[in-house]
C-alpha cells in the first residue's frame, strides 16, 4: 500500500520515505498498480471455481516476485528484493 499524500513526518525519515516511494514505483512499473477490476475479476473467478488455490497471484509483479521467492532462501530473497528496488536500509 502506498500513501496518496507526500510524506509529512519528521525530517529524519524523509530519505527513507523517498527510497520507499522509489521502490514502489520500480515494482509497479510505468503503468502503475494492477487495477481493482483485475483483482475483482480474480476474486469472482475464485468464487466460481472451487478448484481455485487458496492464494492467487494477480499482476505481473506478483508472478515475478513469487517465482523468485520459490527459488531463493529467505536471506537471498530479501537481499535480491532490496537490490532490485534500491533500498539501502
Amino acid at each position: 500500500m502506498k500513501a496518496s499524500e507526500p510524506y509529512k513526518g519528521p525530517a529524519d525519515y524523509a530519505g527513507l520515505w523517498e527510497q520507499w516511494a522509489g521502490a514502489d514505483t520500480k515494482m509497479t512499473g510505468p503503468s502503475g498498480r494492477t487495477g481493482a477490476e483485475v483483482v475483482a475479476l480474480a476474486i469472482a473467478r475464485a468464487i466460481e471455481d472451487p478448484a481455485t488455490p487458496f492464494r492467487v497471484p494477480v499482476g505481473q509483479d506478483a508472478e515475478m516476485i513469487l517465482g523468485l521467492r520459490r527459488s531463493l532462501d529467505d536471506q537471498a530473497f530479501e537481499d535480491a528484493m532490496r537490490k532490485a528496488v534500491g533500498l539501502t536500509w
Side-chain angles (χ1 to χ4, degrees):
M1 304 289 292
K2 183 177 178 183
S4 59
E5 295 183 20
Y7 180 70
K8 296 178 183 174
D12 293 346
Y13 298 107
L16 296 175
W17 182 263
E18 288 173 20
Q19 272 192 33
W20 181 249
D24 182 73
T25 300
K26 286 180 184 178
M27 291 303 298
T28 60
S31 59
R33 301 183 188 295
T34 300
E37 63 280 352
V38 176
V39 175
L41 183 57
I43 293 169
R45 286 182 181 151
I47 291 169
E48 293 169 359
D49 182 0
T52 301
F54 184 66
R55 291 184 174 90
V56 177
V58 177
Q60 290 181 334
D61 57 334
E63 298 279 350
M64 183 270 304
I65 291 169
L66 292 174
L68 183 64
R69 182 68 190 106
R70 284 188 290 271
S71 67
L72 299 173
D73 64 41
D74 292 344
Q75 188 62 57
F77 175 72
E78 183 176 335
D79 293 345
M81 291 302 297
R82 285 179 176 281
K83 183 177 180 181
V85 298
L87 295 179
T88 61
W89 44 275

